[in-house]
Amino acid sequence: MEWSDIIRRAGFTPPFFNHNGGLEFHHLSLKDTLSLTRAMQKNQKHLEAFLPMFHRQETKNVAHVQRWIRSMLEEAYPAQHFVFTYQNKLCGFASTLPISENPREVQLRYMVFEGFTGQGLATRIATTLELYAFNVWGYDRIFIEMDSHNRASMRVAQKLDYEFQGTREYEITGTQGTGFWYSYVKERPRAPSAQLSQDSICDPC
């Protein structure tokens, strides 16, 4: 089976990336400002331990979030940002960020909001973007980084057969301390898996 057939059978329909099973995502736009502001305010404590931006005030009102979204929309392609909904409720956010040193490599970033964790959504988000990265956008290597305390993201990377690459230290915003990012990497498969199906894409972790 060709990758194009796998993607089509899985229900992927660009540009809105509709995903069967209640999970859908679309490209970030200014129309998402209000819903993202509410989600960021509600998830402040949940997210700030892992994402430095959530330690700042810029995510606490509509004007600041709108400015943050606009700055991302102004980034040159192929950087892409997506908003995810599950059963018509905002559940997460993700980005694919090319690595400047090598245009054939990309970094995948994602977050799932509180109330939607533990349902396998992070695995489904990462799997969907991985399929696009390898088979639509043409990347050869994907990197996923997470804070060393973020065990859930580590389990997602390990479940999807990413290999541990190493660690790097970072300064924790607003403190005198430092933390560590763990880095995982996955190479483009040599051939499509005959076992990859809608069920495997949507299987919760």
Side-chain angles (χ1 to χ4, degrees), residues 166-187:
T167 64
R168 65 179 178 86
E169 192 174 16
Y170 71 95
E171 181 180 350
I172 300 175
T173 305
T175 74
Q176 300 297 316
T178 59
F180 290 91
W181 290 114
Y182 284 176
S183 180
Y184 286 78
V185 63
K186 189 173 189 178
E187 305 280 346

Side-chain angles (χ1 to χ4, degrees), residues 29-30 32 34 75 89 120 162 179 186 188 198:
S29 76
L30 289 174
D32 297 306
L34 184 58
E75 291 180 332
K89 296 179 180 179
Y162 283 74
K186 189 173 189 178
R188 173 198 289 273
Q198 174 73 36

Side-chain angles (χ1 to χ4, degrees), residues 83-153:
V83 172
F84 284 79
T85 62
Y86 180 63
Q87 297 179 346
N88 298 317
K89 296 179 180 179
L90 181 66
C91 69
F93 178 84
S95 298
T96 54
L97 304 172
I99 298 173
S100 59
E101 295 82 0
N102 190 334
R104 305 291 292 179
E105 299 178 346
V106 68
Q107 182 179 118
L108 173 61
R109 295 181 181 176
Y110 54 85
M111 58 183 177
V112 176
F113 295 135
E114 193 171 21
F116 295 94
T117 58
Q119 302 178 54
L121 296 180
T123 300
R124 293 167 62 182
I125 289 170
T127 301
T128 302
L129 292 180
E130 177 188 309
L131 284 172
Y132 272 103
F134 282 145
N135 307 294
V136 177
W137 301 321
Y139 293 107
D140 293 329
R141 188 177 293 108
I142 301 174
F143 292 88
I144 299 178
E145 288 190 337
M146 72 286 293
D147 185 273
S148 58
H149 295 93
N150 193 344
R151 302 296 180 183
S153 285

Side-chain angles (χ1 to χ4, degrees), residues 40-111:
M40 289 175 177
Q41 292 172 341
K42 183 178 180 180
N43 285 265
Q44 182 79 24
K45 296 297 182 182
H46 172 64
L47 297 172
E48 66 182 7
F50 310 118
L51 299 171
M53 63 162 288
F54 284 94
H55 289 276
R56 304 195 302 264
Q57 295 295 317
E58 284 80 350
T59 59
K60 292 188 176 180
N61 65 58
V62 171
H64 288 150
V65 172
Q66 186 178 57
R67 189 158 51 245
W68 172 65
I69 292 175
R70 195 182 301 276
S71 70
M72 289 189 290
L73 295 179
E74 290 174 352
E75 291 180 332
Y77 181 86
Q80 300 186 78
H81 307 282
F82 306 95
V83 172
F84 284 79
T85 62
Y86 180 63
Q87 297 179 346
N88 298 317
K89 296 179 180 179
L90 181 66
C91 69
F93 178 84
S95 298
T96 54
L97 304 172
I99 298 173
S100 59
E101 295 82 0
N102 190 334
R104 305 291 292 179
E105 299 178 346
V106 68
Q107 182 179 118
L108 173 61
R109 295 181 181 176
Y110 54 85
M111 58 183 177

